[in-house]
Amino acid sequence: MTARSITWARRRTTLARFWRDFRSHNTALAGLAILAVFALVAIFAPLLADPDGLNVAKATAKSHQPPSADYWLGTDQNGLSILTLLVHGTRVSLIVGLSATAIAIVIGTLVGIMAGFYGGWARSLLMGFTDWFLVIPFLPLAIVLATVLGASLFNIIVVIGVTSWPGTARLVCAQTLSVRSRPYMERAKALGAGDWHQMTRHVLPNVMPVVLAHVVLTVSIAILSETTLSFLGLGDPTAQSWGNILDAAYGTGAMSNGEWWFVLPPGICVVLVVLAFTLVGRALEVVLNPRLKEG
């Protein structure tokens, strides 16, 4: 057997062990099933709901119409189908959540590894900067940044991403400190491995399991943040998301008028997605973290 075949055999064994441990958590499988449904809705949104249904100029139904055979979840203030808005909002909300999480994870992992690897003044400086972000309440900071940058989907992604990385940085820094003290790091350094080689070949692979578990939890926070900012009127008005639907419902008095079909569906979608990501994330923490697994 070649070295490559041995490596792939080890990877297959690791993946099989991971899936065996993961599927032992029934709540995680339930969360994964919920996420799979929402992912399919987001991917096939144009097929499930005609994009022309988002065009106010083409709306033919009455505004604030209750659920009926033609409009299963009723209509909004413009006569648009709530179901159509909900389907296309799934894509926008998931894109924002995943994109913002990618930004947060990259920044947090980079800061955490550098702080934990170099230590000393570098760690004090980077962790001091991280603590400054942690001290500032997230929502006021996000509101200020969203107001300054302007209302657009890209800006919302950037705002959520640059305000969600400190927790990842703290977690990765602690894990890096543990990895740095292991004997093989000293051997790698003695053999002439540079800082970049040590961080990318030894530190990063060892912190990735913790990062991956944290990614899933961060996505749920990002989706919830997007919903909050859009509900406050700071989202992109041209992109339909669950938060924009709730903002429109609040702005048109749907909540006070008892128009449950305008409020409950997007709210339930947010709750289900956040709950699903949380269930999967908690299971990943247990599976990928040996200490939690033993406990």
Side-chain angles (χ1 to χ4, degrees):
M1 295 180 68
T2 63
R4 178 173 295 181
S5 62
I6 294 174
T7 301
W8 279 108
R10 288 177 177 176
R11 289 177 179 176
R12 286 193 295 269
T13 303
T14 301
L15 288 175
R17 186 186 306 114
F18 164 78
W19 175 243
R20 185 184 67 248
D21 294 340
F22 181 82
R23 69 183 182 184
S24 65
H25 299 266
N26 293 330
T27 55
L29 293 178
L32 195 63
I34 295 173
L35 291 180
V37 171
F38 278 103
L40 290 174
V41 170
I43 294 171
F44 298 106
L47 299 178
L48 296 174
D50 189 355
D52 288 340
L54 302 175
N55 191 341
V56 178
K58 296 182 179 181
T60 57
K62 296 179 180 179
S63 61
H64 300 283
Q65 182 177 323
S68 62
D70 296 325
Y71 299 95
W72 293 358
L73 293 178
T75 62
D76 67 354
Q77 75 279 9
N78 296 314
L80 299 177
S81 169
I82 298 294
L83 182 58
T84 299
L85 298 178
L86 208 63
V87 169
H88 288 276
T90 302
R91 171 178 289 188
V92 174
S93 294
L94 289 181
I95 287 175
V96 171
L98 294 173
S99 301
T101 298
I103 295 174
I105 293 301
V106 169
I107 297 175
T109 302
L110 181 62
V111 172
I113 289 180
M114 292 182 65
F117 183 83
Y118 288 110
W121 66 268
R123 180 188 174 194
S124 299
L125 179 63
L126 291 172
M127 287 298 99
F129 184 63
T130 302
D131 291 339
W132 182 79
F133 264 90
L134 287 172
V135 169
I136 299 177
F138 162 76
L139 187 56
L141 179 61
I143 290 175
V144 171
L145 291 176
T147 303
V148 172
L149 295 177
S152 73
L153 199 61
F154 176 78
N155 289 342
I156 288 296
I157 293 173
V158 171
V159 167
I160 297 174
V162 300
T163 54
S164 303
W165 62 267
T168 303
R170 272 288 177 189
L171 188 66
V172 172
C173 179
Q175 190 71 9
T176 302
L177 289 172
S178 174
V179 173
R180 191 183 64 171
S181 62
R182 295 175 184 174
Y184 63 80
M185 292 294 292
E186 292 295 332
R187 290 196 295 267
K189 186 175 181 180
L191 291 172
D195 293 349
W196 178 255
H197 179 88
Q198 294 179 59
M199 286 189 288
T200 56
R201 296 298 182 88
H202 299 292
V203 178
L204 185 59
N206 281 281
V207 303
M208 279 309 294
V210 178
V211 172
L212 290 176
H214 192 65
V215 163
V216 182
L217 297 174
T218 305
V219 174
S220 63
I221 297 174
I223 292 175
L224 197 58
S225 301
E226 186 279 330
T227 302
T228 303
L229 292 175
S230 296
F231 176 72
L232 294 175
L234 298 174
D236 187 351
T238 63
Q240 288 296 338
S241 69
W242 297 333
N244 282 338
I245 298 174
L246 290 172
D247 178 45
Y250 178 77
T252 57
M255 296 182 179
S256 57
N257 293 332
E259 299 175 11
W260 59 267
W261 61 88
F262 205 163
V263 181
L264 284 183
I268 291 174
C269 286
V270 173
V271 171
L272 285 177
V273 169
V274 171
L275 177 62
F277 273 114
T278 302
L279 293 176
V280 173
R282 295 302 182 192
L284 286 176
E285 280 187 333
V286 175
V287 173
L288 297 176
N289 191 332
R291 295 177 181 176
L292 293 177
K293 191 175 180 180
E294 291 174 0

